[in-house]
Amino acid sequence: MNKDLSKLKNKLQRNHPLAEYTSWKIGGPAEYFYRPMDLEDLVQIMRVWQEEPIMVLGAASNVLIRDAGIKGLVIYLRNSLTKFDELDDSNIRVEAGVELMHLVEKCVSLGMFDAAFMSGIPGTVGGALKMNAGAYGERIWNHIVAVETINRSGEIKLKQAKDFAVGYRQVDSLAKDEWFVAAQFNFTRGEVQAAKQQVQTYLQKRSKSQPLDFPSCGSVFRNPEGDYAARLIEACGLKGKQIGGARVSEKHANFIINCGNAIAVDVETLMQEIITKVESSSSVKLIPEVHILGDILLA
Ligand SMILES: Cc1cc2nc3c(=O)[nH]c(=O)nc-3n(C[C@H](O)[C@H](O)[C@H](O)COP(=O)(O)OP(=O)(O)OC[C@H]3O[C@@H](n4cnc5c(N)ncnc54)[C@H](O)[C@@H]3O)c2cc1C
């Protein structure tokens, strides 16, 4: 092992539990875990950590981390890369670890009302770019002008939005071992008060329709073309179905909630049962929106 790598390993946390970082409160440990201080620190890590796998997490609000955890290095960016700069009247540069709720607050205070759709999404800018997060007919990539990415050599590249193939809850043109570190957004300015009101309306809608009192990852499955995963799951009588500590929410059938001490295998088994039942009753094969990461715990 080279000297820099062994020095770095001393800075990292070993076998670090990840469940507490995830919105589901589920998951095994990271073999190595690190929260960079800033972008420069992240560049250094990438330069040194050349041999083993790297997994970048934002706020871990759209991942199911399996019970055996994740091998290699997990880099957690939430509240780590946090710069926010106003470039001009309608453009801002935001680093990947900024929470979307924080981004919305800042934008709204500037009157950028068309950022309001992100309110209530508990992710980071980086995770939202990777997922093409959206709500109420809007998607984050509708507002992206350019992004900055980092690779395993610690190289930062500036890329234009048009260089990416973005679709429903996915972005395909990111290379393996390439991650978002910042984005330039374009929003329209209007009345601050109207923007604040819009945020309140969206938050109220969410609390009426989503089981926000329980840990979850939001919607587990993508909506199939022209339909809703929640409708299909509910039509199979699966609301309230429970395996271990994982239950299909009574309030929103596309949410699986952790009602106590769910482990990842409970969630995965329940997901599999949902997929099988929905397919046999409606011939639609549901596709998970959540990213399933890591290793299965072997008995
Ligand atoms: C209550 C609740 C409500 C939700 N509502 C919505 C909603 O309305 N709309 C919606 O779209 N989603 C929703 N979500 C899901 C989730 O919040 C979003 O998908 C969010 O954008 C994920 O961001 P994150 O930072 O948590 O990503 P993570 O969960 O940390 O990561 C998701 C994926 O992105 C990758 N990733 C993370 N950061 C980076 C990076 N910097 N560069 C490259 N890859 C990266 C990870 O490796 C992983 O594969 C909801 C979740 C919850 C719990």
Side-chain angles (χ1 to χ4, degrees):
M1 188 188 307
N2 78 40
K3 242 175 38 206
D4 287 343
L5 183 58
S6 71
K7 226 160 82 191
L8 169 65
K9 281 194 172 174
N10 291 332
K11 280 202 328 190
L12 308 175
Q13 285 160 290
R14 273 209 86 153
N15 291 322
H16 191 67
L18 290 175
E20 65 187 274
Y21 295 91
T22 73
S23 59
W24 237 333
K25 305 295 169 220
I26 291 174
E31 187 180 2
Y32 293 97
F33 181 80
Y34 193 65
R35 302 180 77 160
M37 285 177 294
D38 51 27
L39 186 51
E40 189 45 44
D41 191 29
L42 180 62
V43 168
Q44 294 310 323
I45 297 278
M46 293 293 180
R47 284 192 183 146
V48 176
W49 192 270
Q50 285 299 305
E51 293 139 50
E52 298 169 70
I54 292 180
M55 170 67 61
V56 171
L57 293 177
S61 66
N62 207 19
V63 290
L64 178 65
I65 295 174
R66 285 181 165 140
D67 301 309
I70 298 180
K71 293 236 165 59
L73 174 60
V74 172
I75 298 178
Y76 184 75
L77 291 188
R78 178 190 204 168
N79 294 329
S80 275
L81 269 58
T82 54
K83 283 199 181 141
F84 177 104
D85 294 300
E86 270 183 79
L87 303 176
D88 58 39
D89 230 31
S90 49
N91 287 286
I92 52 175
R93 177 189 178 273
V94 188
E95 287 189 342
V98 171
E99 291 177 289
L100 293 180
M101 272 313 287
H102 193 212
L103 172 63
V104 169
E105 263 171 42
K106 287 249 191 184
C107 288
V108 161
S109 71
L110 296 169
M112 294 172 162
F113 59 90
D114 45 355
F117 75 94
M118 292 181 284
S119 47
I121 304 181
T124 59
V125 166
L129 288 170
K130 175 71 180 178
M131 300 303 308
N132 193 11
Y136 310 112
E138 269 274 44
R139 294 168 183 189
I140 192 168
W141 278 85
N142 292 349
H143 297 276
I144 298 298
V145 178
V147 294
E148 292 159 50
T149 65
I150 191 167
N151 63 16
R152 290 288 306 246
S153 317
E155 261 179 291
I156 307 274
K157 288 187 184 150
L158 178 68
K159 297 185 171 185
Q160 301 305 308
K162 63 177 169 42
D163 298 335
F164 289 86
V166 290
Y168 170 55
R169 297 294 181 269
Q170 68 184 61
V171 174
D172 290 330
S173 325
L174 202 60
K176 184 181 177 294
D177 286 345
E178 184 182 24
W179 300 274
F180 298 109
V181 290
Q184 183 186 331
F185 290 85
N186 180 278
F187 291 118
T188 314
R189 290 226 195 193
E191 288 276 315
V192 173
Q193 211 39 49
K196 283 188 179 163
Q197 190 50 52
Q198 189 61 70
V199 168
Q200 285 318 311
T201 306
Y202 286 147
L203 290 177
Q204 279 161 13
K205 271 192 181 178
R206 277 181 189 274
S207 73
K208 273 195 193 139
S209 62
Q210 299 181 354
L212 301 180
D213 297 340
F214 290 91
S216 78
C217 76
S219 292
V220 174
F221 297 101
R222 298 176 184 199
N223 287 323
E225 189 88 41
D227 208 339
Y228 291 98
R231 192 197 70 75
L232 293 164
I233 297 166
E234 188 173 350
C236 291
L238 286 167
K239 268 190 169 179
K241 168 79 193 170
Q242 185 161 342
I243 293 179
R247 189 197 303 160
V248 178
S249 165
E250 302 275 3
K251 199 167 176 182
H252 190 311
N254 198 15
F255 277 53
I256 292 180
I257 56 172
N258 178 355
C259 45
N261 40 17
I263 58 174
V265 76
D266 298 339
V267 176
E268 267 194 272
T269 312
L270 189 52
M271 284 173 67
Q272 198 45 61
E273 182 160 339
I274 292 169
I275 291 169
T276 306
K277 289 224 162 117
V278 168
E279 191 171 16
S280 69
S281 79
S282 62
S283 305
V284 174
K285 190 165 169 99
L286 289 178
I287 296 169
E289 176 177 324
V290 63
H291 288 191
I292 300 177
L293 309 176
D295 299 320
I296 296 173
L297 198 59
L298 297 173

